[in-house]
């Protein structure tokens, strides 16, 4: 079997990604067809820039979803003779059932670069949005009262957030994301009060607190509905919370590896203060509006005003920042991988793949170049999308 | 002005104390101390031997007290061990126990001893900061003019074709972290894949003498990530100024567009980017760590990585003091500079 030429190679890669193209085509066709009924999302399809951004993001989302179909090899299998193979190199002695080429070459451990990048998209796209969402929950839950009430609460929280923001990010990662840090603190039962575990216990509680306050503020006059909403939130929330923060989910569905927990908590911790500052700033701006005064005159509670009057009106800048922040979190996760922190060396996530490939960069660029371009295109997509959303929401 | 300065300085000093304490606490966690004991006294020592080693070397006292000693506001510990020799924090570097000072911390200029480099921390940091200083200076010299130029050109006529092109280009650079652009640059300009080999993929030789060939890629890599951000801020500020009344007046009275931009708009448009540029320093620090690791340029960032990777507590503490001070001082300068540059704040 011969090595593939560059045009053949390109065609093979594009052909291999067929589920992605199909899904993208369907998404775009449906969205453009019904764009008048889809609100802000529909208006994305008015500008070419935001369409490109959306396409890039959805490309990686679908790649992650269909990774099992797209990947040509197992991301951890090492095949003999394929060490640092060039893109398009044929397998040394291919079995009949195996894809006969390494499409984008092999890495230093003779694993398929193409499959690793495709499977790596899964871990990147699972962690970055989730970590950003947790950071938003914490930032919103603390930023609203800080901006609304002001005073000592605001001074204290702002000082704490400035403290985190003045910390050089990489130093913080080196201090927080080490395997040994799990051995600190006293053990309580089978749970250990180590620094990341305690931070997880605090940070993961914010979504539960947020939604409980949200329903309570809305339905505090309607006992029955309040009981239903609070009950459902508490049961679901505490179930997930017990699993993620304390690894104590009785069904075993929700749990987090200690290494992943370190990374996750560190990333949430770095992002939350910035979100806090944004939410606080918007709240201070919006609290002098007429509709807030109207709600206050009606006798609504402070939390109702914050969560049901101010927050919905702050959604524009928050959605834009959410997009940007997923990109930034992706960059942070990549940096963690680049320094070999937190994740296992076998992990196919893009940062650690770049790190593994950079040693032989000037002879065999493919193993580092491919995940680097993947990461860049995803972040670029998110930034373009955020830019498009900003322009659209400014038109209101 | 003095009152303004004091009001700004107090939280800065408080922040510095909190942050250094945080770093001190995190670097002195029990597992890290245990690792030190094992690397100094032998890997196979038992837990009780670890405890006694830590006890003998002053590591077992309360963290707050040890932080005070490290800072130089609490007297250094002294004790006589079973063999009769006197040991203590301030005695390790001095020969004569009687003449040793009571306080020896960061404030007195005693930054500790690096276990990895076998040198005083202050020497290492001075040397490495000098190397990084060259890198930072070159980055600033490239980044600031380019970014301001792009921003002003884009913001001059909002919505024009030039604006759209430059804005999209700035979004692309902000989406490219240093470890991506560095890898791409090395692959294009320094690898055998394209065969260009215009530049070197390593900047180690730039530590002795800097040439365009060995220094341009790292500088470009760091500068690129910042350019997009500063350019976008400049563009926003410029676009806002261009809609102001006095610009319209100037145009209506017949001044040329060129003259209006250079004489009237530019000065006001550059106030906001000034703060942004100052606040870029902490970001540059991140970029410096990544780029120095990638290009093997043994400056401050490289030292930080080595110290953190090898559990060199005192060196890591020294590095973080420098990093924290750099961040806080630039924040202070940006605050004061903004107030000073903006006549609306300065004169009120």
């Amino acid at each position: 079997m011969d090595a593939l030429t560059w045009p053949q190679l390109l065609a093979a890669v594009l052909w291999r990604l067929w589920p992605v193209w199909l899904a993208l085509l369907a998404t775009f066709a449906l969205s453009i067809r019904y764009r008048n009924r889809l609100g802000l999302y529909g208006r994305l399809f008015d500008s070419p820039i935001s369409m490109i951004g959306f396409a890039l993001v959805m490309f990686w989302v679908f790649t992650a979803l269909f990774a099992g179909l797209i990947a040509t090899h197992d991301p951890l299998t090492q095949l003999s003779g394929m060490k640092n193979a060039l893109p398009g190199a044929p397998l040394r002695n291919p079995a009949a059932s195996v894809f006969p080429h390494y499409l984008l070459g092999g890495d230093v451990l003779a694993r398929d670069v193409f499959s690793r990048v495709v499977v790596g998209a899964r871990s990147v796209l699972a962690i970055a949005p989730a970590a950003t969402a947790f950071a938003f929950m914490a930032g919103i839950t603390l930023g609203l009262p800080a901006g609304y009430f002001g005073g000592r609460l605001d001074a204290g929280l702002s000082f704490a957030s400035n403290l985190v923001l003045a910390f050089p990010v990489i130093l913080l990662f080196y201090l927080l994301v080490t395997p040994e840090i799990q051995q600190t603190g006293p053990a309580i039962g089978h749970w250990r009060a180590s620094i990341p575990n305690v931070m997880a216990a605090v940070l993961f509680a914010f979504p539960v607190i947020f939604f409980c306050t949200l329903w309570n503020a809305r339905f505090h006059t309607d006992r029955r509905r309040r009981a239903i909403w609070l009950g459902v939130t508490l049961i679901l929330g505490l179930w997930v919370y017990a699993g993620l923060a304390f690894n104590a989910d009785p069904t075993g569905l929700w749990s987090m590896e200690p290494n992943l927990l370190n990374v996750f908590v560190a990333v949430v911790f770095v992002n939350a203060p910035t979100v806090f500052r944004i939410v606080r700033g918007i709240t201070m701006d919006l609290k002098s509006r007429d509709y807030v005064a109207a709600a206050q005159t009606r006798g609504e509670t402070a939390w109702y005003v914050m969560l049901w009057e101010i927050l919905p009106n702050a959604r524009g800048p928050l959605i834009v920042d959410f997009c940007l922040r997923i990109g930034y979190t992706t960059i942070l996760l990549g940096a963690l991988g680049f320094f070999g922190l937190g994740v296992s060396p076998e992990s196919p996530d893009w940062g650690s793949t770049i790190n593994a490939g950079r040693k032989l960069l000037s002879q065999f660029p493919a193993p580092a170049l491919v995940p680097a371009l993947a990461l860049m295109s995803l972040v670029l997509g998110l930034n373009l999308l955020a830019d498009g959303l900003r322009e659209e929401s400014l038109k209101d | 002005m003095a009152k303004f300065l004091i009001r700004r300085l107090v939280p800065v000093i408080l922040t510095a104390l909190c942050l250094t304490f945080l770093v001190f606490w995190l670097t002195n966690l029990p597992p890290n101390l245990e690792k030190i004991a094992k690397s100094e006294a032998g890997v196979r020592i038992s837990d009780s031997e670890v405890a006694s080693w830590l006890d003998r070397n002053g590591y077992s006292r309360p963290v707050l007290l040890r932080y005070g000693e490290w800072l130089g506001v609490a007297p250094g510990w002294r004790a006589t061990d079973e063999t009769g020799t006197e040991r203590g924090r301030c005695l390790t570097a001095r020969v004569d126990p009687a003449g040793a000072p009571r306080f020896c911390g960061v404030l007195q200029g005693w930054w500790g001893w690096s276990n990895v480099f076998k040198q005083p921390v202050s020497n290492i940091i001075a040397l490495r900061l000098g190397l990084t200083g060259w890198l930072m200076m070159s980055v600033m010299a490239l980044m600031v003019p380019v970014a301001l130029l792009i921003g002003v050109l884009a913001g001059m006529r909002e919505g024009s074709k030039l604006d759209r092109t430059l804005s999209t280009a700035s979004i692309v650079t902000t989406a490219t972290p240093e470890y991506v652009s560095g890898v791409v640059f090395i692959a294009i300009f320094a690898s055998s894949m394209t065969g260009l080999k215009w530049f070197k993929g390593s900047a180690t030789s730039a530590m002795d003498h800097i040439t365009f060939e060995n220094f341009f890629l790292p500088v470009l890599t760091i500068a690129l990530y910042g350019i997009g951000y500063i350019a976008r801020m400049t563009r926003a500020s410029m676009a806002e100024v261009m809609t102001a009344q006095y610009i319209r007046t100037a145009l209506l009275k017949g001044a040329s567009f060129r003259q209006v931009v250079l004489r009237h708009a530019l000065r006001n448009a550059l106030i906001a980017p000034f703060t942004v540029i100052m606040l870029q320093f902490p970001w540059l620090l991140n970029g410096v760590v990544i780029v120095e690791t990638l290009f093997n340029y043994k400056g401050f960032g490289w030292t930080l990585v080595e110290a953190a990777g090898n559990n060199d507590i005192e060196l890591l503490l020294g590095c973080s003091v420098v990093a924290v001070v750099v961040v806080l001082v630039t924040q202070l300068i940006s605050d004061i500079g903004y107030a000073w540059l903006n006549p609306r704040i300065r004169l009120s």
Side-chain angles (χ1 to χ4, degrees):
Chain A
M1 182 104 32
D2 293 330
L4 297 173
T5 58
W6 285 102
Q8 281 177 327
L9 186 62
L10 191 68
V13 170
L14 292 181
W15 171 244
R16 199 63 209 174
L17 289 167
W18 66 267
V20 177
W21 306 129
L22 219 61
L24 269 182
L25 210 65
T27 315
F28 268 77
L30 283 175
S31 306
I32 292 177
R33 174 87 176 68
Y34 296 107
R35 68 173 154 185
N36 293 331
R37 288 192 231 155
L38 292 172
L40 184 62
Y41 169 76
R43 272 186 282 153
L44 274 181
F45 296 87
D46 292 341
S47 103
I49 297 270
S50 41
M51 259 159 74
I52 294 174
F54 184 66
L56 279 172
V57 174
M58 290 320 284
F59 172 84
W60 286 112
V61 170
F62 290 133
T63 307
L65 274 179
F66 303 123
L69 278 174
I70 298 168
T72 49
H73 296 87
D74 181 78
L76 294 179
T77 311
Q78 308 175 357
L79 293 179
S80 69
M82 300 307 284
K83 182 179 168 187
N84 291 323
L86 292 173
L91 295 189
R92 188 63 60 81
N93 33 17
S97 57
V98 182
F99 194 80
H101 292 94
Y102 266 13
L103 281 174
L104 296 176
D107 67 3
V108 74
L109 292 174
R111 297 171 299 195
D112 182 31
V113 172
F114 177 75
S115 308
R116 283 181 72 76
V117 168
V118 167
V119 176
R122 253 186 198 176
S123 70
V124 172
L125 281 167
I127 302 176
T132 314
F134 274 103
F136 260 75
M137 286 286 116
I140 290 174
T141 315
L142 296 175
L144 282 175
Y148 189 76
F149 295 120
R152 288 239 181 97
L153 177 77
D154 180 29
L157 285 173
S158 294
F159 182 76
S161 78
N162 286 342
L163 214 59
V164 181
L165 289 176
F167 220 105
V169 177
I170 291 197
L171 184 63
L172 193 71
F173 281 165
Y174 260 109
L175 294 174
L176 282 182
V177 190
T178 54
E180 290 88 22
I181 205 160
Q182 284 287 0
Q183 298 160 20
T184 54
I188 303 163
H190 74 284
W191 185 75
R192 186 181 267 280
S194 65
I195 296 165
N197 285 354
V198 172
M199 281 165 70
V202 175
L203 289 172
F204 292 174
F206 279 111
V208 183
I209 298 174
F210 174 80
F211 281 108
C212 285
T213 333
L214 189 72
W215 303 133
N216 189 39
R218 186 85 173 87
F219 300 122
H220 71 103
T221 47
D222 184 347
R223 284 247 178 94
R224 209 174 60 84
R225 278 164 84 187
R226 179 170 80 168
I228 296 172
W229 282 99
L230 275 184
V232 170
T233 310
L234 278 174
I235 289 170
L236 280 178
L238 291 180
W239 175 36
V240 178
Y241 178 66
L244 293 184
F246 296 101
N247 205 8
D249 175 14
T251 58
L253 189 63
W254 297 97
S255 69
M256 229 182 204
E257 295 267 312
N259 273 340
L260 181 62
L261 187 86
N262 288 354
V263 172
F264 198 86
V265 166
V267 172
V268 174
F269 186 66
V270 168
N271 272 317
T274 325
V275 182
F276 164 80
R277 287 235 292 220
I278 296 171
V279 175
R280 171 180 169 269
I282 300 176
T283 311
M284 286 170 95
D285 178 29
L286 292 185
K287 76 174 172 186
S288 56
R289 297 293 165 90
D290 287 344
Y291 53 81
V292 172
Q296 283 165 341
T297 322
R298 283 205 308 273
E300 303 286 4
T301 59
W303 280 100
Y304 180 88
V305 175
M306 282 185 247
L307 290 166
W308 291 96
E309 298 285 344
I310 294 179
L311 191 59
N313 284 294
R315 69 182 184 280
L318 288 184
I319 292 172
V320 171
D321 188 69
F322 189 71
C323 273
L324 282 178
R325 202 148 293 283
I326 295 177
Y328 178 62
T329 310
T330 311
I331 290 179
L332 282 183
L333 287 169
L336 275 169
F338 179 79
F339 286 108
L341 291 171
V343 281
S344 72
E346 282 155 9
S347 155
D349 80 285
W350 297 338
S352 17
T353 322
I354 296 173
N355 183 37
R358 75 186 164 90
K359 278 135 203 157
L360 288 172
L361 191 54
S362 44
Q363 286 95 45
F364 306 102
L369 201 55
V370 178
L373 293 176
L375 191 139
M376 187 195 149
S377 60
L378 173 63
V379 179
L380 178 64
L382 286 162
N383 284 9
L384 290 176
L385 187 62
D387 206 56
L389 283 172
R390 184 186 351 241
E391 283 198 359
E392 290 304 324
S393 64
L394 279 181
K395 280 182 193 162
D396 287 342
Chain B
M1 194 70 190
K3 211 173 152 192
F4 174 80
L5 271 180
I6 289 171
R7 221 174 48 220
R8 294 288 155 114
L9 266 175
V10 170
V12 166
I13 292 171
L14 208 61
T15 312
L17 286 177
C18 285
L19 283 181
T20 45
F21 175 69
L22 221 61
V23 179
F24 189 87
W25 176 61
L26 285 171
T27 47
N28 281 279
L29 287 172
N32 294 345
L33 293 179
E34 195 179 314
K35 259 199 281 183
I36 288 204
K38 288 193 170 161
S39 69
E40 294 291 305
V43 185
R44 290 167 201 285
I45 57 175
S46 66
D47 285 355
S48 62
E49 280 169 316
V50 167
S52 84
W53 187 91
L54 291 178
D55 208 31
R56 234 175 333 146
N57 289 285
Y59 284 111
S60 54
R61 285 152 322 108
V63 179
L64 204 58
L65 182 66
R66 290 184 42 230
Y67 173 70
E69 289 175 7
W70 171 82
L71 195 65
V73 293
W77 62 276
R78 293 176 83 145
T80 317
D81 65 8
E82 40 301 1
T83 54
T85 43
E86 213 176 351
R87 307 169 62 90
R89 179 179 166 82
C90 305
L91 302 184
T92 40
R94 320 269 164 171
V95 190
D96 178 22
R102 276 188 73 216
F103 297 92
C104 47
V106 171
L107 294 177
Q108 283 81 23
W110 172 243
W111 288 52
W113 179 264
S114 159
N115 284 330
V116 174
F117 292 92
K118 306 289 177 210
Q119 270 181 36
V121 168
S122 41
N123 289 7
I124 304 172
I125 289 189
L127 173 74
R128 302 298 174 184
L129 262 186
L131 289 170
T132 297
W134 284 109
L135 189 61
M136 285 264 205
M137 248 167 51
S138 320
V139 169
M140 280 291 170
L142 176 71
M143 182 173 76
V144 174
V146 172
L148 291 182
L149 190 69
I150 294 178
V152 168
L153 285 178
M156 201 163 67
R157 287 202 177 93
E158 205 185 353
S160 65
K161 201 166 248 177
L162 183 69
D163 175 26
R164 297 216 169 258
T165 320
L166 290 177
S167 297
T168 312
S170 350
I171 294 182
V172 174
T173 71
T174 47
T176 318
E178 293 89 353
Y179 53 89
V180 168
S181 50
V183 161
V184 173
F185 285 147
I186 295 179
I188 294 177
F189 295 119
S191 79
S192 48
M193 181 181 76
T194 56
L196 287 178
K197 300 227 171 192
W198 290 350
F199 302 106
K200 288 196 175 142
S202 144
T204 314
S205 58
M207 295 188 320
D208 297 324
H209 65 280
I210 293 170
T211 62
F212 185 66
E213 198 190 12
N214 62 22
F215 211 49
F216 183 66
L217 278 192
V219 170
L220 182 66
T221 306
I222 303 179
L224 203 65
Y225 191 50
I227 283 177
Y229 189 62
I230 300 179
R232 284 173 66 104
M233 292 294 157
T234 316
R235 176 190 171 275
S237 159
M238 185 73 187
E240 196 191 324
V241 168
M242 288 306 281
T243 58
Q245 295 288 338
Y246 66 91
I247 296 291
R248 202 154 54 142
T249 314
L251 282 172
L252 287 177
K253 82 180 183 201
S256 71
F257 186 75
R258 193 189 140 83
Q259 210 174 8
V260 169
V261 168
L262 290 178
R263 284 258 187 85
H264 301 256
L266 211 53
R267 272 180 62 181
N268 282 321
L270 291 184
I271 295 173
F274 169 79
T275 47
V276 177
I277 291 169
M278 289 319 287
L279 293 178
Q280 278 288 308
F281 270 98
W283 285 105
L284 282 187
L285 209 65
N286 284 341
V288 160
V289 176
I290 291 171
V291 163
E292 285 185 358
T293 313
L294 184 63
F295 286 91
N296 209 11
Y297 182 76
K298 292 172 182 158
F300 179 73
W302 179 85
T303 312
L304 201 157
V305 171
E306 287 293 302
N310 294 310
N311 195 34
D312 193 341
I313 290 183
E314 308 236 295
L315 183 57
L316 189 57
L317 276 167
C319 286
S320 31
V321 170
V322 173
V324 165
V325 166
V326 166
V327 171
L328 293 177
V329 166
T330 48
Q331 276 181 1
L332 197 66
I333 293 178
S334 106
D335 262 14
I336 295 170
Y338 184 74
W340 183 70
L341 282 175
N342 195 338
R344 269 165 284 188
I345 295 181
R346 188 188 355 149
L347 297 177
S348 66

